[in-house]
Amino acid sequence: MKRKPEWLRIQSKSNPNIALVEELISNSNLNTVCAEANCPNYNECFSKKIATFMILGKNCTRNCNFCNVSHEIPEQISADEPKNLARAVSALGLKYVVITSVTRDDLADGGAEHFAKVIQAVRKNCHETAIEVLIPDFKGELKALRTVAGASPDVISHNVETVPELYAAVRQQAKYCRSLELLRNIKLINPKIHSKSGIMLGMGETKEQVLKLFEDLRKADCDFITIGQYLAPTAKHYPIYEFITPKQFEEYGSIAKKMGFSFVASAPLVRSSYNASEALAT
């Protein structure tokens, strides 16, 4: 694996909040994408008592080459997860929460109804908390998307992850056009919901391909975009082709803003849920 440049090296700092959040998550029988995806911002976010919850178990039915989430037999869905998650959001005092999931192609609705129950539980218990859901593609089923949108989250996010030319190598079970259609349909279902997507750089994409992706997202009426550096979880995952410099990220961010995205986060360590509340603060 390539050696990380200086700008990607993170100094771990101890903070009592980290253990507090970890204990809360464990005692509540909840999962976080922070832990399961081995996020580089884990310590920083937990130090701020922020976590991105991952529902529908921690075993994914897909096996994308870039992702660290387990690809095993799907788990039984916990009926207590909505109320447990809402209590955790309240205990952490979150004014903004991001809720994502593994992909559950084994379920008829892809887990959409469970997403709705979680959103409703947080709404009931945490009236002032803004809610962002980062959803899978639900195999393109419009009914599933309507179910999630019907619970009225503030933001619906779905990551296209990379340029379409790399899908065969990186996201074999996904379809670029299907993801764009999902993002487009968010606004058609409810124009008041903000739509969001995220991509990773350093996988072998060209600048021209990235700019075309920006264009495609804007044509799909996508409001927010996050742009970060791909970091291979292990040597067995899809390789890192290059490290994009902070200056290059600034350039991409500037271009994205000029193309009409109302919020852009573009830096090496940016992830789709990192400092996500900033999008609604702009």
Side-chain angles (χ1 to χ4, degrees), residues 166-185:
L166 293 178
Y167 264 52
V170 178
R171 301 189 74 201
Q172 302 93 324
Q173 295 163 283
K175 297 179 181 178
Y176 182 72
C177 291
R178 185 165 67 189
S179 288
L180 288 179
E181 189 67 16
L182 182 150
L183 289 163
R184 184 179 298 108
N185 283 330

Side-chain angles (χ1 to χ4, degrees), residues 147-176:
T147 297
V148 175
S152 299
D154 298 278
V155 180
I156 294 181
S157 179
H158 174 70
N159 292 338
V160 293
E161 305 292 7
T162 187
V163 298
E165 290 82 358
L166 293 178
Y167 264 52
V170 178
R171 301 189 74 201
Q172 302 93 324
Q173 295 163 283
K175 297 179 181 178
Y176 182 72

Side-chain angles (χ1 to χ4, degrees), residues 33-43 271:
V33 74
C34 321
E36 301 307 323
N38 195 25
C39 180
N41 303 310
Y42 181 99
N43 283 354
R271 296 296 181 266

Side-chain angles (χ1 to χ4, degrees), residues 110-131:
E113 183 62 35
H114 193 70
F115 258 109
K117 289 178 180 178
V118 172
I119 296 167
Q120 290 160 357
V122 175
R123 282 269 184 257
K124 181 179 179 180
N125 290 274
C126 312
H127 305 294
E128 297 182 1
T129 302
I131 302 171

Side-chain angles (χ1 to χ4, degrees), residues 57 138 260:
F138 297 132

